[in-house]
Amino acid sequence: MLLNKEILTCAIKEYIYDNCYCGEKPLKIKNIDELHDTAIMCYIGDDRIEEYDQMYNEMCCILNTDGKKIIDEINNYIDEEFQSCYMGEPAFTSANDYWGYILG
């Protein structure tokens, strides 16, 4: 077995972090389909999950059994990791705060 829940969750977090534009909070994952679409893009080592049947099948099994827990963990990670990053200013936690300050 190449994958387990922890390895897959870490890979998803890394993928989200690496593909986030500075100052932009990633969208939360709403359901298993979105989690699947994100997970297949992840790399384990130098190997992309969707390119290897065994890893893909293991990923699907993990998502079927622990998908909801992984979604909760990923969404909590998004809230914690990206809460204070809007337009490069830690003081602005949302677009509303930023534009309220800029526009007065």
Side-chain angles (χ1 to χ4, degrees):
M1 178 179 246
L2 300 172
L3 281 179
N4 63 33
K5 178 185 170 220
E6 290 76 24
I7 292 171
L8 180 60
T9 304
C10 286
I12 295 169
K13 288 177 183 178
E14 184 177 310
Y15 175 81
I16 289 171
Y17 185 85
D18 289 345
N19 290 288
C20 174
Y21 296 106
C22 182
E24 186 175 312
K25 185 175 182 176
L27 296 175
K28 290 186 177 183
I29 295 175
K30 296 179 193 95
N31 54 48
I32 297 292
D33 291 334
E34 286 184 13
L35 181 62
H36 172 274
D37 293 346
T38 302
I40 62 172
M41 303 302 290
C42 297
Y43 284 84
I44 305 298
D46 293 331
D47 302 321
R48 193 165 159 180
I49 290 175
E50 74 174 337
E51 295 174 355
Y52 293 90
D53 290 341
Q54 182 180 358
M55 278 201 295
Y56 178 79
N57 291 333
E58 290 172 356
M59 179 206 70
C60 288
C61 289
I62 293 166
L63 296 184
N64 285 334
T65 57
D66 293 319
K68 300 234 187 265
K69 291 177 188 174
I70 294 172
I71 289 172
D72 290 341
E73 187 172 337
I74 296 298
N75 288 339
N76 288 336
Y77 168 77
I78 289 170
D79 282 341
E80 291 170 9
E81 186 67 28
F82 300 96
Q83 69 179 344
S84 63
C85 183
Y86 189 79
M87 301 301 273
E89 296 289 339
F92 305 116
T93 58
S94 70
N96 190 33
D97 289 346
Y98 177 77
W99 288 109
Y101 174 79
I102 295 300
L103 299 174

